[in-house]
Amino acid sequence: MLEVKNITFSYDKNPVLKQLRFNVHPGEYLAIIGESGSGKSTLLKVLYGEYDLDEGNILWKNQEILGPKYNLVVGYDFMKYVAQEFDLMPFISVEENVGKFLSNFFPEEKQKRVAELLEVVELTDFAKTKVKTLSGGQKQRVALARAIAKQPEIILLDEPFSHIDNFKKQSLRRNLFKYLKEKNIACIVATHDKEDVLGYADNMVLLNNNEIEIQGHPEELFKNPETPLIASFFGEFNIINNQIVYANQLKIVEKSHFKATVMQSYFNGNNWLIQAQYKSKTILIEHDLKLNNGEIFFFKY
Ligand code: ADP
Ligand code: MG
């Protein structure tokens, strides 16, 4: 497994990552979440061996992952990394890019493998297209396919769907995570999208102020959000009597001790998000119907 043991890293004087520790087993998916600038990309680069640590160490199956000071060539065969800014070869085709690191020794095998990979990222129709003519999202999908081509044991993905539009994102996500599980490829994904995490990740780590604020199983952290930051990752929430309550956990009722006044209603697809004034606070409630501004209602939780 991947063992991250009390690692600390700084670009200059101030640590960006402080005393982080976690493990990832073969085939497991760990999500790294945190606000922009919290160190997600830095952590992935450190795990890849792109930088030297200040403290601690990183092991994959008991082999230490070393930084440039101790390792001439960055990276290892068992590990692949797809950066936020992926670099492809623009003047050759999609299939050539994807097959770039596959052996030419068995051309039929290679062709079959590339076809399978293009199916995972839904680019079969673009096999012969030159990469330079693709959109940002399509390029990102080529980069993903290329990274999994040689079946690494572990893959590091930095916001892997950030350039991909909503039309494609859902099915691509399902394909990719299913593929990685089937092939028992461990993955660590930096993301700020809960959709990348819930339903897929086995574990998650929340970075805040250079440290791990919380780590655990997504479903458990979702059901029992211990801090406002983790709650805000999952959805709209309120703090009522020092308790974190999601907007969909508040219910509008005939009568209760809690009285509020509607400020604004927002349609969100499945229902309405009602913004309301409760005492001196603004609260958010999900409701099936639109309410009029100024309307008074009671709620419970
Ligand atoms: P995230 O991916 O969560 O947005 P980053 O890892 O990119 O966060 O950045 C974490 C912090 O490290 C930020 O304060 C950022 O400005 C700083 N940082 C990132 N890359 C470098 C670098 N190459 N040199 C110096 N500081 C950097
Ligand atoms: Mg980043």
Side-chain angles (χ1 to χ4, degrees), residues 63-108:
Q63 176 178 353
E64 184 155 10
I65 295 177
L66 298 167
K69 213 186 269 177
Y70 305 96
N71 193 15
L72 213 53
V73 183
V74 172
Y76 295 85
D77 278 347
F78 54 81
M79 186 182 256
K80 279 277 172 285
Y81 162 61
V82 183
Q84 243 169 321
E85 324 75 28
F86 29 87
D87 68 308
L88 298 167
M89 278 153 287
F91 300 107
I92 61 174
S93 72
V94 166
E95 61 180 7
E96 286 167 315
N97 265 277
V98 171
K100 182 78 179 84
F101 302 115
L102 294 176
S103 157
N104 286 319
F105 216 67
F106 306 99
E108 271 174 32

mmCIF file of all heavy atoms in Angstrom, residues 63-108:
data_model
loop_
_atom_site.group_PDB
_atom_site.id
_atom_site.type_symbol
_atom_site.label_atom_id
_atom_site.label_comp_id
_atom_site.label_asym_id
_atom_site.label_seq_id
_atom_site.Cartn_x
_atom_site.Cartn_y
_atom_site.Cartn_z
ATOM 1 N N GLN A 63 8.589 0.423 -0.998
ATOM 2 C CA GLN A 63 9.646 1.134 -1.735
ATOM 3 C C GLN A 63 9.485 2.628 -1.488
ATOM 4 O O GLN A 63 8.386 3.171 -1.646
ATOM 5 C CB GLN A 63 9.526 0.834 -3.232
ATOM 6 C CG GLN A 63 10.540 1.618 -4.036
ATOM 7 C CD GLN A 63 10.474 1.307 -5.531
ATOM 8 O OE1 GLN A 63 9.766 0.420 -5.966
ATOM 9 N NE2 GLN A 63 11.237 2.058 -6.307
ATOM 10 N N GLU A 64 10.547 3.271 -1.090
ATOM 11 C CA GLU A 64 10.447 4.691 -0.786
ATOM 12 C C GLU A 64 10.373 5.526 -2.063
ATOM 13 O O GLU A 64 11.112 5.290 -3.018
ATOM 14 C CB GLU A 64 11.642 5.136 0.070
ATOM 15 C CG GLU A 64 11.504 6.591 0.473
ATOM 16 C CD GLU A 64 12.257 6.955 1.736
ATOM 17 O OE1 GLU A 64 13.051 6.132 2.231
ATOM 18 O OE2 GLU A 64 12.049 8.082 2.222
ATOM 19 N N ILE A 65 9.462 6.477 -2.084
ATOM 20 C CA ILE A 65 9.368 7.404 -3.216
ATOM 21 C C ILE A 65 10.259 8.599 -2.898
ATOM 22 O O ILE A 65 10.062 9.280 -1.897
ATOM 23 C CB ILE A 65 7.907 7.825 -3.461
ATOM 24 C CG1 ILE A 65 7.119 6.584 -3.885
ATOM 25 C CG2 ILE A 65 7.825 8.930 -4.514
ATOM 26 C CD1 ILE A 65 5.660 6.799 -4.093
ATOM 27 N N LEU A 66 11.250 8.790 -3.752
ATOM 28 C CA LEU A 66 12.270 9.795 -3.462
ATOM 29 C C LEU A 66 12.127 11.007 -4.365
ATOM 30 O O LEU A 66 11.683 10.902 -5.503
ATOM 31 C CB LEU A 66 13.658 9.179 -3.661
ATOM 32 C CG LEU A 66 13.980 8.003 -2.737
ATOM 33 C CD1 LEU A 66 15.213 7.272 -3.207
ATOM 34 C CD2 LEU A 66 14.124 8.468 -1.290
ATOM 35 N N GLY A 67 12.514 12.146 -3.846
ATOM 36 C CA GLY A 67 12.495 13.390 -4.607
ATOM 37 C C GLY A 67 13.730 13.516 -5.482
ATOM 38 O O GLY A 67 14.597 12.636 -5.490
ATOM 39 N N PRO A 68 13.836 14.622 -6.219
ATOM 40 C CA PRO A 68 14.912 14.808 -7.204
ATOM 41 C C PRO A 68 16.324 14.763 -6.612
ATOM 42 O O PRO A 68 17.280 14.439 -7.302
ATOM 43 C CB PRO A 68 14.620 16.185 -7.810
ATOM 44 C CG PRO A 68 13.547 16.793 -6.972
ATOM 45 C CD PRO A 68 12.868 15.714 -6.229
ATOM 46 N N LYS A 69 16.424 15.067 -5.322
ATOM 47 C CA LYS A 69 17.743 15.047 -4.696
ATOM 48 C C LYS A 69 18.335 13.642 -4.694
ATOM 49 O O LYS A 69 19.531 13.443 -4.748
ATOM 50 C CB LYS A 69 17.618 15.562 -3.260
ATOM 51 C CG LYS A 69 18.847 16.317 -2.774
ATOM 52 C CD LYS A 69 18.732 16.685 -1.311
ATOM 53 C CE LYS A 69 18.106 18.050 -1.090
ATOM 54 N NZ LYS A 69 17.948 18.359 0.343
ATOM 55 N N TYR A 70 17.441 12.632 -4.598
ATOM 56 C CA TYR A 70 17.913 11.252 -4.467
ATOM 57 C C TYR A 70 17.540 10.375 -5.650
ATOM 58 O O TYR A 70 17.772 9.184 -5.655
ATOM 59 C CB TYR A 70 17.337 10.634 -3.186
ATOM 60 C CG TYR A 70 17.638 11.447 -1.975
ATOM 61 C CD1 TYR A 70 16.701 12.367 -1.489
ATOM 62 C CD2 TYR A 70 18.871 11.334 -1.324
ATOM 63 C CE1 TYR A 70 16.982 13.148 -0.380
ATOM 64 C CE2 TYR A 70 19.159 12.104 -0.216
ATOM 65 C CZ TYR A 70 18.212 13.004 0.252
ATOM 66 O OH TYR A 70 18.497 13.779 1.337
ATOM 67 N N ASN A 71 16.864 10.971 -6.625
ATOM 68 C CA ASN A 71 16.344 10.180 -7.727
ATOM 69 C C ASN A 71 16.504 10.993 -9.007
ATOM 70 O O ASN A 71 15.895 12.037 -9.161
ATOM 71 C CB ASN A 71 14.857 9.892 -7.466
ATOM 72 C CG ASN A 71 14.316 8.827 -8.390
ATOM 73 O OD1 ASN A 71 15.073 8.102 -9.026
ATOM 74 N ND2 ASN A 71 13.006 8.757 -8.465
ATOM 75 N N LEU A 72 17.336 10.500 -9.915
ATOM 76 C CA LEU A 72 17.691 11.280 -11.093
ATOM 77 C C LEU A 72 16.487 11.585 -11.975
ATOM 78 O O LEU A 72 16.300 12.704 -12.443
ATOM 79 C CB LEU A 72 18.748 10.501 -11.890
ATOM 80 C CG LEU A 72 19.772 11.350 -12.625
ATOM 81 C CD1 LEU A 72 20.424 12.348 -11.667
ATOM 82 C CD2 LEU A 72 20.838 10.451 -13.224
ATOM 83 N N VAL A 73 15.670 10.566 -12.213
ATOM 84 C CA VAL A 73 14.515 10.739 -13.090
ATOM 85 C C VAL A 73 13.254 10.748 -12.234
ATOM 86 O O VAL A 73 13.013 9.820 -11.471
ATOM 87 C CB VAL A 73 14.421 9.576 -14.105
ATOM 88 C CG1 VAL A 73 13.267 9.796 -15.069
ATOM 89 C CG2 VAL A 73 15.733 9.440 -14.861
ATOM 90 N N VAL A 74 12.468 11.816 -12.360
ATOM 91 C CA VAL A 74 11.236 11.893 -11.574
ATOM 92 C C VAL A 74 10.242 10.847 -12.059
ATOM 93 O O VAL A 74 10.086 10.638 -13.256
ATOM 94 C CB VAL A 74 10.613 13.307 -11.671
ATOM 95 C CG1 VAL A 74 9.236 13.333 -11.019
ATOM 96 C CG2 VAL A 74 11.525 14.332 -11.032
ATOM 97 N N GLY A 75 9.590 10.178 -11.100
ATOM 98 C CA GLY A 75 8.530 9.229 -11.452
ATOM 99 C C GLY A 75 8.992 7.787 -11.408
ATOM 100 O O GLY A 75 10.186 7.499 -11.462
ATOM 101 N N TYR A 76 8.015 6.905 -11.277
ATOM 102 C CA TYR A 76 8.254 5.472 -11.202
ATOM 103 C C TYR A 76 7.289 4.774 -12.151
ATOM 104 O O TYR A 76 6.214 5.290 -12.427
ATOM 105 C CB TYR A 76 8.011 4.980 -9.774
ATOM 106 C CG TYR A 76 8.987 5.558 -8.772
ATOM 107 C CD1 TYR A 76 8.756 6.807 -8.187
ATOM 108 C CD2 TYR A 76 10.130 4.856 -8.414
ATOM 109 C CE1 TYR A 76 9.646 7.341 -7.274
ATOM 110 C CE2 TYR A 76 11.031 5.382 -7.497
ATOM 111 C CZ TYR A 76 10.782 6.624 -6.936
ATOM 112 O OH TYR A 76 11.670 7.151 -6.042
ATOM 113 N N ASP A 77 7.657 3.580 -12.602
ATOM 114 C CA ASP A 77 6.801 2.845 -13.537
ATOM 115 C C ASP A 77 5.434 2.489 -12.957
ATOM 116 O O ASP A 77 4.449 2.425 -13.665
ATOM 117 C CB ASP A 77 7.486 1.541 -13.973
ATOM 118 C CG ASP A 77 8.480 1.800 -15.096
ATOM 119 O OD1 ASP A 77 8.425 2.924 -15.661
ATOM 120 O OD2 ASP A 77 9.286 0.903 -15.393
ATOM 121 N N PHE A 78 5.408 2.232 -11.656
ATOM 122 C CA PHE A 78 4.145 1.777 -11.045
ATOM 123 C C PHE A 78 3.169 2.922 -10.796
ATOM 124 O O PHE A 78 2.046 2.703 -10.385
ATOM 125 C CB PHE A 78 4.418 1.041 -9.727
ATOM 126 C CG PHE A 78 5.236 1.840 -8.740
ATOM 127 C CD1 PHE A 78 4.632 2.800 -7.950
ATOM 128 C CD2 PHE A 78 6.598 1.612 -8.624
ATOM 129 C CE1 PHE A 78 5.385 3.537 -7.046
ATOM 130 C CE2 PHE A 78 7.357 2.338 -7.721
ATOM 131 C CZ PHE A 78 6.751 3.318 -6.933
ATOM 132 N N MET A 79 3.625 4.149 -11.037
ATOM 133 C CA MET A 79 2.800 5.306 -10.706
ATOM 134 C C MET A 79 2.659 6.242 -11.905
ATOM 135 O O MET A 79 3.617 6.503 -12.601
ATOM 136 C CB MET A 79 3.490 6.050 -9.572
ATOM 137 C CG MET A 79 2.710 7.191 -8.990
ATOM 138 S SD MET A 79 3.691 7.998 -7.715
ATOM 139 C CE MET A 79 2.918 7.374 -6.245
ATOM 140 N N LYS A 80 1.427 6.722 -12.130
ATOM 141 C CA LYS A 80 1.221 7.711 -13.188
ATOM 142 C C LYS A 80 0.560 8.944 -12.580
ATOM 143 O O LYS A 80 -0.161 8.850 -11.598
ATOM 144 C CB LYS A 80 0.321 7.141 -14.288
ATOM 145 C CG LYS A 80 1.057 6.261 -15.278
ATOM 146 C CD LYS A 80 1.734 7.077 -16.358
ATOM 147 C CE LYS A 80 2.637 6.236 -17.233
ATOM 148 N NZ LYS A 80 3.912 5.863 -16.598
ATOM 149 N N TYR A 81 0.817 10.059 -13.233
ATOM 150 C CA TYR A 81 0.338 11.322 -12.698
ATOM 151 C C TYR A 81 -0.219 12.154 -13.844
ATOM 152 O O TYR A 81 0.437 12.298 -14.870
ATOM 153 C CB TYR A 81 1.521 12.010 -12.010
ATOM 154 C CG TYR A 81 1.388 13.483 -11.746
ATOM 155 C CD1 TYR A 81 0.375 13.974 -10.934
ATOM 156 C CD2 TYR A 81 2.313 14.383 -12.276
ATOM 157 C CE1 TYR A 81 0.273 15.336 -10.667
ATOM 158 C CE2 TYR A 81 2.222 15.739 -12.014
ATOM 159 C CZ TYR A 81 1.201 16.207 -11.213
ATOM 160 O OH TYR A 81 1.102 17.547 -10.957
ATOM 161 N N VAL A 82 -1.425 12.646 -13.703
ATOM 162 C CA VAL A 82 -1.986 13.548 -14.717
ATOM 163 C C VAL A 82 -2.160 14.918 -14.066
ATOM 164 O O VAL A 82 -2.984 15.086 -13.170
ATOM 165 C CB VAL A 82 -3.334 13.037 -15.278
ATOM 166 C CG1 VAL A 82 -3.834 13.965 -16.383
ATOM 167 C CG2 VAL A 82 -3.197 11.621 -15.812
ATOM 168 N N ALA A 83 -1.351 15.866 -14.524
ATOM 169 C CA ALA A 83 -1.337 17.204 -13.927
ATOM 170 C C ALA A 83 -2.574 17.989 -14.341
ATOM 171 O O ALA A 83 -3.269 17.630 -15.289
ATOM 172 C CB ALA A 83 -0.082 17.936 -14.364
ATOM 173 N N GLN A 84 -2.824 19.075 -13.626
ATOM 174 C CA GLN A 84 -3.912 19.978 -13.976
ATOM 175 C C GLN A 84 -3.680 20.509 -15.397
ATOM 176 O O GLN A 84 -4.606 20.651 -16.171
ATOM 177 C CB GLN A 84 -3.942 21.144 -12.981
ATOM 178 C CG GLN A 84 -5.214 21.205 -12.174
ATOM 179 C CD GLN A 84 -5.127 22.187 -11.012
ATOM 180 O OE1 GLN A 84 -4.099 22.309 -10.347
ATOM 181 N NE2 GLN A 84 -6.204 22.895 -10.762
ATOM 182 N N GLU A 85 -2.437 20.764 -15.725
ATOM 183 C CA GLU A 85 -2.088 21.192 -17.084
ATOM 184 C C GLU A 85 -1.423 19.991 -17.753
ATOM 185 O O GLU A 85 -0.257 19.760 -17.545
ATOM 186 C CB GLU A 85 -1.093 22.366 -17.081
ATOM 187 C CG GLU A 85 -1.256 23.382 -15.979
ATOM 188 C CD GLU A 85 -0.754 22.895 -14.613
ATOM 189 O OE1 GLU A 85 0.163 22.048 -14.578
ATOM 190 O OE2 GLU A 85 -1.288 23.342 -13.595
ATOM 191 N N PHE A 86 -2.214 19.237 -18.518
ATOM 192 C CA PHE A 86 -1.711 18.003 -19.093
ATOM 193 C C PHE A 86 -0.916 18.326 -20.350
ATOM 194 O O PHE A 86 -1.267 19.219 -21.098
ATOM 195 C CB PHE A 86 -2.879 17.077 -19.449
ATOM 196 C CG PHE A 86 -4.120 17.824 -19.776
ATOM 197 C CD1 PHE A 86 -4.367 18.273 -21.061
ATOM 198 C CD2 PHE A 86 -5.016 18.144 -18.783
ATOM 199 C CE1 PHE A 86 -5.505 19.000 -21.347
ATOM 200 C CE2 PHE A 86 -6.149 18.878 -19.059
ATOM 201 C CZ PHE A 86 -6.399 19.314 -20.348
ATOM 202 N N ASP A 87 0.171 17.584 -20.583
ATOM 203 C CA ASP A 87 0.911 17.852 -21.813
ATOM 204 C C ASP A 87 0.834 16.652 -22.740
ATOM 205 O O ASP A 87 1.215 15.547 -22.397
ATOM 206 C CB ASP A 87 2.353 18.251 -21.498
ATOM 207 C CG ASP A 87 3.147 17.121 -20.925
ATOM 208 O OD1 ASP A 87 2.673 16.501 -19.949
ATOM 209 O OD2 ASP A 87 4.216 16.819 -21.462
ATOM 210 N N LEU A 88 0.286 16.918 -23.907
ATOM 211 C CA LEU A 88 0.137 15.878 -24.926
ATOM 212 C C LEU A 88 0.977 16.263 -26.125
ATOM 213 O O LEU A 88 1.491 17.375 -26.203
ATOM 214 C CB LEU A 88 -1.332 15.789 -25.345
ATOM 215 C CG LEU A 88 -2.303 15.396 -24.243
ATOM 216 C CD1 LEU A 88 -3.730 15.661 -24.679
ATOM 217 C CD2 LEU A 88 -2.135 13.937 -23.858
ATOM 218 N N MET A 89 1.068 15.352 -27.074
ATOM 219 C CA MET A 89 1.772 15.685 -28.314
ATOM 220 C C MET A 89 0.749 16.149 -29.336
ATOM 221 O O MET A 89 -0.039 15.353 -29.843
ATOM 222 C CB MET A 89 2.559 14.483 -28.795
ATOM 223 C CG MET A 89 3.878 14.410 -28.054
ATOM 224 S SD MET A 89 4.506 12.771 -27.944
ATOM 225 C CE MET A 89 3.407 12.084 -26.751
ATOM 226 N N PRO A 90 0.740 17.443 -29.628
ATOM 227 C CA PRO A 90 -0.346 18.029 -30.406
ATOM 228 C C PRO A 90 -0.413 17.578 -31.863
ATOM 229 O O PRO A 90 -1.503 17.548 -32.440
ATOM 230 C CB PRO A 90 -0.069 19.533 -30.337
ATOM 231 C CG PRO A 90 1.349 19.681 -29.942
ATOM 232 C CD PRO A 90 1.714 18.452 -29.171
ATOM 233 N N PHE A 91 0.724 17.217 -32.456
ATOM 234 C CA PHE A 91 0.722 16.989 -33.903
ATOM 235 C C PHE A 91 0.501 15.537 -34.306
ATOM 236 O O PHE A 91 0.554 15.201 -35.475
ATOM 237 C CB PHE A 91 2.009 17.550 -34.527
ATOM 238 C CG PHE A 91 2.134 19.020 -34.287
ATOM 239 C CD1 PHE A 91 3.047 19.527 -33.374
ATOM 240 C CD2 PHE A 91 1.286 19.912 -34.944
ATOM 241 C CE1 PHE A 91 3.128 20.884 -33.124
ATOM 242 C CE2 PHE A 91 1.359 21.276 -34.697
ATOM 243 C CZ PHE A 91 2.275 21.761 -33.787
ATOM 244 N N ILE A 92 0.280 14.681 -33.320
ATOM 245 C CA ILE A 92 -0.057 13.296 -33.674
ATOM 246 C C ILE A 92 -1.486 13.000 -33.207
ATOM 247 O O ILE A 92 -2.086 13.800 -32.482
ATOM 248 C CB ILE A 92 0.970 12.273 -33.111
ATOM 249 C CG1 ILE A 92 1.016 12.315 -31.590
ATOM 250 C CG2 ILE A 92 2.345 12.528 -33.708
ATOM 251 C CD1 ILE A 92 1.892 11.233 -30.991
ATOM 252 N N SER A 93 -2.009 11.872 -33.645
ATOM 253 C CA SER A 93 -3.435 11.584 -33.421
ATOM 254 C C SER A 93 -3.707 11.162 -31.976
ATOM 255 O O SER A 93 -2.790 10.861 -31.203
ATOM 256 C CB SER A 93 -3.885 10.479 -34.358
ATOM 257 O OG SER A 93 -3.332 9.251 -33.924
ATOM 258 N N VAL A 94 -4.991 11.128 -31.669
ATOM 259 C CA VAL A 94 -5.456 10.696 -30.357
ATOM 260 C C VAL A 94 -4.941 9.284 -30.056
ATOM 261 O O VAL A 94 -4.362 9.029 -29.008
ATOM 262 C CB VAL A 94 -7.002 10.745 -30.308
ATOM 263 C CG1 VAL A 94 -7.547 10.003 -29.100
ATOM 264 C CG2 VAL A 94 -7.486 12.195 -30.310
ATOM 265 N N GLU A 95 -5.117 8.366 -31.007
ATOM 266 C CA GLU A 95 -4.702 6.981 -30.716
ATOM 267 C C GLU A 95 -3.183 6.855 -30.572
ATOM 268 O O GLU A 95 -2.704 6.055 -29.780
ATOM 269 C CB GLU A 95 -5.252 5.987 -31.754
ATOM 270 C CG GLU A 95 -4.798 6.225 -33.161
ATOM 271 C CD GLU A 95 -5.379 5.201 -34.143
ATOM 272 O OE1 GLU A 95 -6.234 4.399 -33.739
ATOM 273 O OE2 GLU A 95 -4.958 5.231 -35.313
ATOM 274 N N GLU A 96 -2.451 7.677 -31.314
ATOM 275 C CA GLU A 96 -0.988 7.628 -31.164
ATOM 276 C C GLU A 96 -0.564 8.160 -29.796
ATOM 277 O O GLU A 96 0.352 7.642 -29.161
ATOM 278 C CB GLU A 96 -0.312 8.445 -32.276
ATOM 279 C CG GLU A 96 -0.350 7.739 -33.623
ATOM 280 C CD GLU A 96 0.019 8.657 -34.786
ATOM 281 O OE1 GLU A 96 -0.485 9.802 -34.829
ATOM 282 O OE2 GLU A 96 0.808 8.224 -35.624
ATOM 283 N N ASN A 97 -1.234 9.196 -29.342
ATOM 284 C CA ASN A 97 -0.952 9.726 -28.012
ATOM 285 C C ASN A 97 -1.228 8.683 -26.932
ATOM 286 O O ASN A 97 -0.417 8.470 -26.041
ATOM 287 C CB ASN A 97 -1.793 10.977 -27.734
ATOM 288 C CG ASN A 97 -1.041 12.266 -28.044
ATOM 289 O OD1 ASN A 97 -0.265 12.748 -27.228
ATOM 290 N ND2 ASN A 97 -1.267 12.801 -29.230
ATOM 291 N N VAL A 98 -2.399 8.065 -27.040
ATOM 292 C CA VAL A 98 -2.801 7.087 -26.022
ATOM 293 C C VAL A 98 -1.845 5.886 -26.012
ATOM 294 O O VAL A 98 -1.491 5.365 -24.962
ATOM 295 C CB VAL A 98 -4.263 6.637 -26.248
ATOM 296 C CG1 VAL A 98 -4.629 5.463 -25.353
ATOM 297 C CG2 VAL A 98 -5.219 7.803 -26.003
ATOM 298 N N GLY A 99 -1.397 5.492 -27.190
ATOM 299 C CA GLY A 99 -0.528 4.312 -27.288
ATOM 300 C C GLY A 99 0.952 4.626 -27.173
ATOM 301 O O GLY A 99 1.792 3.735 -27.290
ATOM 302 N N LYS A 100 1.253 5.879 -26.921
ATOM 303 C CA LYS A 100 2.641 6.361 -26.932
ATOM 304 C C LYS A 100 3.599 5.480 -26.122
ATOM 305 O O LYS A 100 4.707 5.200 -26.555
ATOM 306 C CB LYS A 100 2.669 7.794 -26.370
ATOM 307 C CG LYS A 100 4.037 8.438 -26.371
ATOM 308 C CD LYS A 100 4.415 8.936 -27.754
ATOM 309 C CE LYS A 100 5.767 9.612 -27.783
ATOM 310 N NZ LYS A 100 6.895 8.706 -27.918
ATOM 311 N N PHE A 101 3.153 5.048 -24.945
ATOM 312 C CA PHE A 101 4.071 4.311 -24.079
ATOM 313 C C PHE A 101 3.825 2.802 -24.113
ATOM 314 O O PHE A 101 4.374 2.058 -23.336
ATOM 315 C CB PHE A 101 3.971 4.840 -22.644
ATOM 316 C CG PHE A 101 4.280 6.306 -22.560
ATOM 317 C CD1 PHE A 101 3.300 7.218 -22.175
ATOM 318 C CD2 PHE A 101 5.544 6.788 -22.895
ATOM 319 C CE1 PHE A 101 3.581 8.575 -22.122
ATOM 320 C CE2 PHE A 101 5.836 8.147 -22.843
ATOM 321 C CZ PHE A 101 4.843 9.038 -22.461
ATOM 322 N N LEU A 102 2.975 2.373 -25.036
ATOM 323 C CA LEU A 102 2.727 0.935 -25.146
ATOM 324 C C LEU A 102 3.721 0.328 -26.140
ATOM 325 O O LEU A 102 4.107 0.969 -27.117
ATOM 326 C CB LEU A 102 1.292 0.671 -25.623
ATOM 327 C CG LEU A 102 0.179 1.075 -24.660
ATOM 328 C CD1 LEU A 102 -1.185 0.837 -25.299
ATOM 329 C CD2 LEU A 102 0.287 0.316 -23.348
ATOM 330 N N SER A 103 4.083 -0.900 -25.887
ATOM 331 C CA SER A 103 5.063 -1.575 -26.727
ATOM 332 C C SER A 103 4.512 -1.807 -28.140
ATOM 333 O O SER A 103 3.335 -2.103 -28.322
ATOM 334 C CB SER A 103 5.413 -2.909 -26.084
ATOM 335 O OG SER A 103 5.906 -3.787 -27.054
ATOM 336 N N ASN A 104 5.388 -1.682 -29.136
ATOM 337 C CA ASN A 104 4.980 -1.947 -30.520
ATOM 338 C C ASN A 104 5.205 -3.402 -30.902
ATOM 339 O O ASN A 104 5.044 -3.797 -32.054
ATOM 340 C CB ASN A 104 5.791 -1.071 -31.478
ATOM 341 C CG ASN A 104 5.308 0.366 -31.424
ATOM 342 O OD1 ASN A 104 4.102 0.621 -31.359
ATOM 343 N ND2 ASN A 104 6.237 1.294 -31.405
ATOM 344 N N PHE A 105 5.594 -4.175 -29.919
ATOM 345 C CA PHE A 105 5.986 -5.551 -30.176
ATOM 346 C C PHE A 105 4.823 -6.425 -30.608
ATOM 347 O O PHE A 105 4.961 -7.333 -31.402
ATOM 348 C CB PHE A 105 6.650 -6.112 -28.916
ATOM 349 C CG PHE A 105 7.763 -7.044 -29.216
ATOM 350 C CD1 PHE A 105 8.931 -6.579 -29.822
ATOM 351 C CD2 PHE A 105 7.654 -8.384 -28.911
ATOM 352 C CE1 PHE A 105 9.967 -7.437 -30.114
ATOM 353 C CE2 PHE A 105 8.683 -9.255 -29.206
ATOM 354 C CZ PHE A 105 9.839 -8.786 -29.799
ATOM 355 N N PHE A 106 3.642 -6.119 -30.040
ATOM 356 C CA PHE A 106 2.439 -6.871 -30.393
ATOM 357 C C PHE A 106 1.396 -5.898 -30.914
ATOM 358 O O PHE A 106 0.530 -5.464 -30.164
ATOM 359 C CB PHE A 106 1.888 -7.615 -29.172
ATOM 360 C CG PHE A 106 2.887 -8.495 -28.500
ATOM 361 C CD1 PHE A 106 3.561 -8.074 -27.360
ATOM 362 C CD2 PHE A 106 3.164 -9.760 -29.017
ATOM 363 C CE1 PHE A 106 4.487 -8.886 -26.747
ATOM 364 C CE2 PHE A 106 4.089 -10.578 -28.390
ATOM 365 C CZ PHE A 106 4.759 -10.146 -27.258
ATOM 366 N N PRO A 107 1.497 -5.543 -32.209
ATOM 367 C CA PRO A 107 0.643 -4.471 -32.745
ATOM 368 C C PRO A 107 -0.842 -4.717 -32.569
ATOM 369 O O PRO A 107 -1.598 -3.788 -32.299
ATOM 370 C CB PRO A 107 1.023 -4.417 -34.228
ATOM 371 C CG PRO A 107 2.023 -5.470 -34.476
ATOM 372 C CD PRO A 107 2.412 -6.105 -33.200
ATOM 373 N N GLU A 108 -1.266 -5.980 -32.670
ATOM 374 C CA GLU A 108 -2.694 -6.267 -32.537
ATOM 375 C C GLU A 108 -3.177 -6.023 -31.114
ATOM 376 O O GLU A 108 -4.239 -5.444 -30.884
ATOM 377 C CB GLU A 108 -3.002 -7.706 -32.939
ATOM 378 C CG GLU A 108 -3.299 -7.820 -34.418
ATOM 379 C CD GLU A 108 -3.460 -9.261 -34.861
ATOM 380 O OE1 GLU A 108 -3.931 -10.087 -34.062
ATOM 381 O OE2 GLU A 108 -3.086 -9.548 -36.006
#
